[in-house]
Amino acid sequence: MAYDTELADRIRDVLVGKADFTEKKMFGGLAFLIGGNMAVSASGQGGMLLRADPSASDELCSNPGVERAIMQGRAMDGWLRVADTAIASDEELERWVDVGVAYAGSLPPK
């Protein structure tokens, strides 16, 4: 499955003017990076892949449509899948993008 280009455009619209970001195709989607660290991605598996503080994973996953990403058969703290239903409105999308941007921005630049 190819990533959702409409979702990528929506993410880009949120980031323009808010953050100094770059884009890179990775993990089968289009990732948006802050300081070289992935913040969010329009996922090739549908929805959005979000990078967040691993210690906040339980709290963030208590939201409908949010779950830990499975990578190499393991549920990963700090890597979350956000379903399309959880980012249907612009306000919801901005909320989740901000989570990813805040975490990526807290990491040392690459």
Side-chain angles (χ1 to χ4, degrees):
M1 169 184 212
Y3 68 87
D4 181 343
T5 57
E6 183 180 322
L7 175 58
D9 289 341
R10 289 179 63 215
I11 293 170
R12 191 177 298 110
D13 288 345
V14 170
L15 290 171
V16 168
K18 280 185 126 180
D20 184 19
F21 68 95
T22 56
E23 299 178 23
K24 182 177 183 179
K25 289 186 178 179
M26 56 192 298
F27 301 124
L30 183 63
F32 296 84
L33 297 88
I34 307 296
N37 295 295
M38 194 193 98
V40 297
S41 175
S43 177
Q45 296 179 10
M48 188 168 70
L49 181 62
L50 169 72
R51 186 112 184 256
D53 183 339
S55 68
S57 294
D58 286 338
E59 176 187 344
L60 295 172
C61 287
S62 70
N63 290 276
V66 180
E67 62 187 16
R68 284 174 177 79
I70 306 296
M71 296 182 178
Q72 298 180 339
R74 280 188 5 189
M76 301 293 293
D77 284 339
W79 293 89
L80 308 177
R81 294 223 168 265
V82 182
D84 288 327
T85 56
I87 52 175
S89 75
D90 291 342
E91 293 79 20
E92 291 168 324
L93 178 67
E94 185 171 357
R95 172 187 176 221
W96 290 109
V97 169
D98 286 349
V99 169
V101 168
Y103 184 67
S106 74
L107 299 172
K110 290 186 176 183

